[in-house]
Amino acid sequence: MTVKEIIFFCILLGNAIVSALYLMFGLLYVKRCESKDAAERKKAEAAQEETGTEEKPKNVQKEAETKDKSKSAQEEAAEDEETQEELPMKDGRIVYVMKFVVMLLCPLAGPIFFGVGHLLFRFIFRQDVHLEDVVFSKERVRTNERADEERERNIAPLEEAIAVSDKESLRSLMLNVIRGDVHNSLAAISLALNSPDSETSHYAASVLQDELNDFRGNVQKIWREVEKEEEDQTDCEYYLIPYMNNMLEQKVFTEMEQKNMVKKFAEVGEALYRKAPYRFTSQYYEWICLRLLDIKDFETMEMWCSRAAAQYPEELSSYTCRLKLYFTAQEKEKFFETLDALKQSSIVIDRETLALIRTFS
């Protein structure tokens, strides 16, 4: 054998010995830590059993609580740090085995890499934590951001701003509106379509087009799911009714499309009423009736009013929907019959209904 081969063989042999010793001592370290943890757990359990059988006086308990609370944050941090040093990872054996394999496959380079890395971490990168300025408290702090005073000062109702001739103020207000949640502001945004400022009307048209297209697509998509549902499935209808009502009550569609959408809305309600009438709330009945009243479909609205009166006879909305129907349809006899029935009932009425009763009494 040549000198180079002897040196190479010695390097391999030394690397194998170092790797084996590292693995052996690592596994022993893991085992020792696990046995130490088990002993500490047994001691803790024994202490809990002793404290459970023997009741301590209240003064002793108070003294123990005050002693526990008097521990400083630095001592607790030091204890946590010591436990982190002593306890290995949950899968410590796997870590040592992986390092052993790397050291075998990379002779001389593997042990040097892990050794230098450990020394660097031990003496250079590891630093003591200074906890003088750290406060360990359970109190929650709410940070308040400074208000944008310039923007808040210029906020005004969009309906009023459209009538203003100042284009810059109108444009800035329009931008502030469309940056937020516009789902409930589409009726006001639609008023800006007739603005003499072309840029403002462009903003309004683009926002309305996007929102209406999303609404149409979502309704068609969910309606297809409704048609595929079983008889005991009503989740799609339960979602569609408030979703469609929020858009239809703003009246941002054309007259023809509004009628078609309201009819689709009534079909969704019919599907839910057929499958699970017990899930139909009085609010749902009121929404469907009012949307049918908007398109003056009195016949269908009367059917829904009858259903609401049969299922919720003690709800105010069951009476107000019929009053609005008969008043709009000019059916005086049915209107006053419903009004008298409402007076004789024990239902708590709101201000609007009270004003209506006072007007026709």
Side-chain angles (χ1 to χ4, degrees):
M1 296 177 65
T2 61
V3 178
K4 291 182 179 181
E5 291 177 350
I6 293 172
I7 295 173
F8 182 71
F9 178 76
C10 292
I11 291 174
L12 291 179
L13 181 61
N15 182 77
I17 294 172
V18 172
S19 302
L21 290 174
Y22 178 80
L23 179 62
M24 182 178 65
F25 284 110
L27 295 179
L28 290 174
Y29 172 71
V30 173
K31 187 176 181 181
R32 181 168 59 87
C33 292
E34 289 178 349
S35 61
K36 188 176 179 180
D37 292 342
E40 290 179 354
R41 288 196 202 97
K42 290 181 179 179
K43 289 181 181 179
E45 292 175 357
Q48 289 179 358
E49 291 178 358
E50 291 178 359
T51 54
T53 55
E54 297 178 359
E55 295 182 356
K56 295 182 179 181
K58 294 183 179 180
N59 295 331
V60 178
Q61 291 180 358
K62 289 181 179 179
E63 290 179 1
E65 291 177 359
T66 53
K67 287 181 180 179
D68 293 336
K69 290 180 180 178
S70 62
K71 286 186 178 181
S72 63
Q74 294 182 355
E75 292 176 356
E76 292 178 0
E79 290 176 2
D80 294 339
E81 190 175 349
E82 289 176 3
T83 53
Q84 288 179 1
E85 290 179 1
E86 293 175 0
L87 296 177
M89 295 178 60
K90 185 177 180 181
D91 299 328
R93 293 184 179 85
I94 298 176
V95 174
Y96 285 110
V97 171
M98 291 175 62
K99 290 183 178 180
F100 170 72
V101 173
V102 173
M103 292 168 70
L104 282 181
L105 296 178
C106 303
L108 191 62
I112 292 174
F113 173 76
F114 290 119
V116 173
H118 180 72
L119 293 175
L120 290 175
F121 172 76
R122 191 76 180 179
F123 298 105
I124 297 178
F125 295 106
R126 182 178 179 181
Q127 297 178 357
D128 295 332
V129 180
H130 299 285
L131 301 176
E132 289 84 359
D133 298 331
V134 180
V135 178
F136 293 90
S137 176
K138 294 183 179 180
E139 296 181 357
R140 298 294 182 265
V141 179
R142 178 177 294 178
T143 57
N144 297 321
E145 296 182 358
R146 185 178 180 182
D148 190 353
E149 297 180 2
E150 186 66 25
R151 179 182 175 184
E152 296 292 337
R153 194 182 298 115
N154 294 328
I155 287 180
L158 188 59
E159 295 86 346
E160 298 178 5
I162 294 173
V164 178
S165 59
D166 187 3
K167 295 183 179 180
E168 293 184 359
S169 300
L170 180 58
R171 291 175 183 177
S172 62
L173 177 62
M174 194 68 189
L175 287 174
N176 290 334
V177 170
I178 64 179
R179 283 174 186 167
D181 187 7
V182 298
H183 296 290
N184 299 323
S185 305
L186 296 178
I189 294 175
S190 63
L191 298 176
L193 293 174
N194 299 323
S195 174
D197 184 22
S198 59
E199 189 169 350
T200 302
S201 60
H202 173 71
Y203 291 158
S206 60
V207 171
L208 283 174
Q209 185 177 5
D210 292 340
E211 293 295 327
L212 295 182
N213 288 337
D214 291 341
F215 175 78
R216 297 186 189 102
N218 291 334
V219 170
Q220 292 178 359
K221 180 181 177 181
I222 300 175
W223 179 249
R224 286 195 292 266
E225 296 295 329
V226 171
E227 294 176 342
K228 296 178 183 178
E229 282 183 340
E230 301 294 336
E231 287 298 323
D232 58 343
Q233 296 177 342
T234 57
D235 292 338
C236 292
E237 296 92 327
Y238 208 62
Y239 168 79
L240 264 182
I241 290 177
Y243 176 69
M244 294 185 70
N245 178 74
N246 186 38
M247 182 66 73
L248 293 175
E249 68 179 353
Q250 300 185 63
K251 301 177 184 179
V252 292
F253 293 100
T254 60
E255 184 178 356
M256 182 62 67
E257 190 173 8
Q258 180 78 9
K259 289 183 178 180
N260 294 332
M261 282 295 178
V262 171
K263 290 180 181 179
K264 179 67 68 176
F265 183 44
E267 290 179 8
V268 175
E270 187 68 35
L272 179 60
Y273 183 82
R274 185 184 70 253
K275 294 179 181 179
Y278 60 89
R279 297 194 70 178
F280 230 96
T281 63
S282 60
Q283 183 69 67
Y284 288 180
Y285 282 116
E286 185 177 10
W287 286 344
I288 294 175
C289 291
L290 293 180
R291 300 294 78 78
L292 291 169
L293 183 65
D294 292 338
I295 63 173
K296 297 183 179 180
D297 189 352
F298 301 139
E299 184 178 355
T300 309
M301 181 181 175
E302 188 172 9
M303 179 189 67
W304 282 104
C305 288
S306 301
R307 291 177 176 178
Q311 189 171 354
Y312 298 100
E314 299 299 325
E315 289 289 335
L316 179 62
S317 59
S318 301
Y319 289 92
T320 55
C321 289
R322 283 182 289 168
L323 289 174
K324 292 176 182 179
L325 168 63
Y326 299 143
F327 181 81
T328 307
Q330 298 295 320
E331 297 183 13
K332 296 182 180 180
E333 295 182 0
K334 292 183 178 180
F335 176 82
F336 285 107
E337 288 178 1
T338 306
L339 189 62
D340 292 336
L342 178 59
K343 290 180 185 179
Q344 297 174 2
S345 66
S346 59
I347 299 175
V348 179
I349 59 177
D350 54 11
R351 292 183 178 179
E352 182 182 358
T353 310
L354 181 59
L356 181 66
I357 292 175
R358 290 175 176 173
T359 302
F360 291 98
S361 295

